[in-house]
Amino acid sequence: MNARRDYHSKAQLRQSRRRNAAANARRESLSKPKSRRVVGQRNAKLPFAPPEDWHEPSPSASPYRIVTQPAGDGYRHVVTPDEVRERLSTLPSYFLRDLEVVQLSRITRKKQSFPCYGMQWGPALYLYPLESSLEEHFDRPPSPSVVNEARMYGGVWRETASGCWSLVWTEQTIRDFYLNNILIHELGHLLDDRNTSYTDRERFAEWFAIEYGYRPTRGAAQRRRQVRRRHHSR
């Protein structure tokens, strides 16, 4: 009898811990907006749920392909397949050796609850649609790192009524953000075969996006501005 009571108490404790872990995960998801990026499933205590359409790795060394899904009502894809191909073509070819799919994914009710810009899973990169208005809304103030990241690419944060916040993009700035940050960030995750913890993988991907996304394109933009100024001075 004592053994049975001990077994039941341990089982109840395990169930309680699982419920607490799920509750904590829900509370964390409702906290102030972070980077809106997903790297697989972060909480190992929760039941596994496939985060996306799985693309089986191909045994052949064929070039990557692009899959485009309908964005969904009220949403739009902010980059085109041609823009993705053009941006990736500027990178060293060995960076793309293990890349098999870039998917412009649909929005779903679940993804609306846990929004993100992009994700890497297996040999595939996923880019998610944005609100058609190019204006995102948050019910809590953003962290300084999120504010700075958006400003680097031209996103404008605005505090609205009742303590809510909005992040406003233009056609040019959101395209820049996706092609030179999100896409390159997720490719960094694909190339990272050393780090295992979420923090270390994020740190590497953020460095990769700055090194191969932000810095090269900002140098090119500066050179174009200099050329235009010389042209207009004649």
Side-chain angles (χ1 to χ4, degrees):
M1 181 67 69
N2 290 338
R4 278 200 295 272
R5 280 201 300 269
D6 183 59
Y7 171 79
H8 287 303
S9 64
K10 289 181 179 179
Q12 291 171 352
L13 179 61
R14 285 195 295 269
Q15 291 176 354
S16 176
R17 286 175 177 170
R18 282 197 292 268
R19 286 194 294 269
N20 289 340
N24 289 337
R26 285 194 294 270
R27 282 195 294 269
E28 182 181 357
S29 70
L30 295 175
S31 64
K32 60 186 178 182
K34 297 183 177 63
S35 62
R36 282 183 55 148
R37 293 195 183 95
V38 175
V39 188
Q41 183 152 316
R42 301 178 186 177
N43 193 334
K45 296 180 181 179
L46 296 180
F48 175 73
E52 257 296 351
D53 297 332
W54 172 252
H55 297 281
E56 200 66 35
S58 171
S60 63
S62 57
Y64 69 89
R65 58 192 176 94
I66 297 182
V67 176
T68 304
Q69 299 177 337
D73 293 341
Y75 288 79
R76 52 171 291 191
H77 293 302
V78 298
V79 294
T80 67
D82 286 342
E83 289 170 338
V84 170
R85 290 191 185 94
E86 182 180 359
R87 182 64 185 90
L88 292 178
S89 70
T90 66
L91 298 171
S93 58
Y94 61 86
F95 281 0
L96 310 179
R97 182 176 50 201
D98 296 327
L99 176 62
E100 296 193 6
V101 176
V102 177
Q103 179 171 300
L104 305 182
S105 291
R106 70 174 69 87
I107 196 70
T108 64
R109 184 176 300 177
K110 182 177 180 180
K111 293 171 188 173
Q112 287 175 325
S113 301
F114 301 93
C116 64
Y117 297 122
M119 185 186 72
Q120 173 264 326
W121 193 32
L125 308 182
Y126 303 83
L127 300 179
Y128 293 101
L130 203 71
E131 288 85 347
S132 298
S133 63
L134 300 185
E135 184 172 349
E136 306 175 67
H137 299 279
F138 303 90
D139 59 1
R140 287 176 174 81
S143 67
S145 62
V146 172
V147 171
N148 291 336
E149 181 185 50
R151 284 177 176 171
M152 287 169 62
Y153 295 89
V156 178
W157 283 95
R158 296 173 180 169
E159 185 174 8
T160 60
S162 303
C164 296
W165 289 75
S166 65
L167 176 55
V168 182
W169 302 93
T170 66
E171 295 281 352
Q172 181 179 354
T173 58
I174 193 60
R175 189 180 300 113
D176 181 20
F177 183 58
Y178 265 67
L179 293 176
N180 297 315
N181 184 317
I182 303 303
L183 177 64
I184 308 302
H185 180 107
E186 302 308 333
L187 180 62
H189 281 307
L190 177 62
L191 294 173
D192 184 8
D193 57 1
R194 296 175 55 188
N195 297 303
T196 56
S197 73
Y198 170 76
T199 300
D200 290 341
R201 283 180 59 78
E202 275 300 296
R203 185 180 295 115
F204 175 85
E206 288 170 2
W207 168 84
F208 190 85
I210 293 294
E211 191 70 18
Y212 294 100
Y214 183 80
R215 287 179 178 170
T217 55
R218 289 317 176 271
Q222 179 64 25
R223 288 192 292 274
R224 285 194 296 271
R225 285 194 293 269
Q226 291 174 349
V227 169
R228 284 197 293 269
R229 283 199 294 268
R230 286 198 296 270
H231 175 75
H232 290 307
S233 65
R234 293 180 180 178

